[in-house]
Each structure stands twice: as structure tokens, then as C-alpha cells.
Amino acid sequence: MTEGAPAERDVPRRVLVAGIGNVFLQDDGFGVETVRRLADRAAELPPGVELMDAGIRGAHLAYRLLEGYHTLVLVDIVSRGGPPGTLYTIDVGPQPPVERPEPGPLDTHAMDPATVLALLHDLHAGAGGTLPEEVYVIGCEPRATDEGMGLTPAVTEAVAGAVDLVLALVRRGTAVPQRS
């Protein structure tokens, strides 16, 4: 290390928080709305944290991730059978998803977290870049994903809790458990 250069631990880790979803399909807009509300509280974000309204642009998100983020936090709806509005924090880890989408044409309008992560690993294999070391999903159980604007009441209420979960996660910094 050269004299005067900041120690590696003093350099903020790059973190990307990406809201995924289609605002024209009711609760599918949860991730986008959560990131919008996080932007309203940007002063509370630690250095190195960036927000992205990825919407339905999963391919764009996958390419951006090759730019060298330490941590990725995806915010999206997640169907796990709980009551609508239930929030989940899922530690996905850096490995590619076990269940990968079938090969074929890429539907950029149907990009869920597993598809984005599979595409990211495929792009990394072909183009290089740096994969995130930590990947989390902050998910919300949806009530409705039919055509229509606006979140259902249960999911609307869950957005504030999701914002708090994301803030707590990105503030942990070096306290986030490291994998060996």
C-alpha cells in the first residue's frame, strides 16, 4: 500500500439496491416503489450505496452488476405462500441459481431475481467483470399481479417495512457475514 492511500477497509464497498417489477401489474410494482421511497431517504444511505429502478430491465441490471459491486440487494415480490404483505429477507449468496431458466429467447419483460442472477453468471462467463460477493432479496408476498396500476393495501403497507429492512441491511457494512 502506498503512503497516503486509504486502507482497503476505509473504502466503502459498492452496494447496489435494485427494485424489480412491472408497475402496470399491481403488486409487481413493489420493488420499484420500495426503491422510490428509499430515494426519498437517500441521506440515510451509507457511502457506496446506489439505488436502481430496474423495473423490467433485467438485462440492463445484469450488465450493470458486472461493474464491480460487492453487494446486491434485489427488491421484488416473492411468492412463498404467506399472507399478502409478508416480507422476506433471503440470503441468495454469490452462486448461480440452482434452478435456471430454460435456454431460449430472453424475455426482458419477465425478469425475476433468479433469471437476473442466471443471466449475470452467463454474462460473467462470457464477458468477465466482477460478480457481487453477497446477494440478498428483500421480497414481499403479493396479493394481486393482474393488470392495473397501484399496489394492493397489504403490499402498500409492507413498503415502509421493506425500506427499513434494506436500510438495516446496507448499514451492516462489514458486519455482513463473510462466506469462506
Side-chain angles (χ1 to χ4, degrees), residues 2 7 20 28-29 52 54 72-73 83 92 97 103 116 124-125 131 145 151 154 159 168:
T2 60
I20 299 175
D28 196 34
M52 178 183 184
L72 168 64
V73 180
V92 177
V116 170
H124 178 261
L131 292 173
T145 56
L151 305 175
V159 170

Side-chain angles (χ1 to χ4, degrees), residues 22-158:
N22 186 336
V23 297
F24 297 111
L25 298 177
Q26 292 180 314
D27 290 342
D28 196 34
F30 165 78
V32 172
E33 178 61 18
T34 300
V35 167
R36 186 190 70 74
R37 291 216 204 147
L38 277 164
D40 291 342
R41 295 175 63 181
E44 298 176 51
L45 294 170
V49 176
E50 300 171 31
L51 302 175
M52 178 183 184
D53 170 357
I56 58 173
R57 299 181 331 267
H60 177 76
L61 171 59
Y63 276 107
R64 182 166 173 186
L65 286 168
L66 294 176
E67 296 174 9
Y69 291 91
H70 179 271
T71 304
L72 168 64
V73 180
L74 297 172
V75 185
D76 197 5
I77 57 170
V78 175
S79 296
R80 294 188 137 188
T86 300
L87 292 172
Y88 308 102
T89 302
I90 304 163
D91 182 348
V92 177
Q95 302 305 317
V98 175
E99 292 183 26
R100 295 175 63 96
E102 292 293 321
L106 184 62
D107 180 1
T108 58
H109 294 279
M111 298 295 273
D112 60 16
T115 303
V116 170
L117 294 172
L119 177 59
L120 171 63
H121 283 272
D122 291 344
L123 290 171
H124 178 261
T130 303
L131 292 173
E133 292 180 30
E134 300 169 347
V135 179
Y136 299 92
V137 175
I138 301 296
C140 180
E141 191 76 42
R143 172 152 174 59
T145 56
D146 300 321
E147 286 186 23
M149 295 286 292
L151 305 175
T152 60
V155 173
T156 298
E157 289 178 26

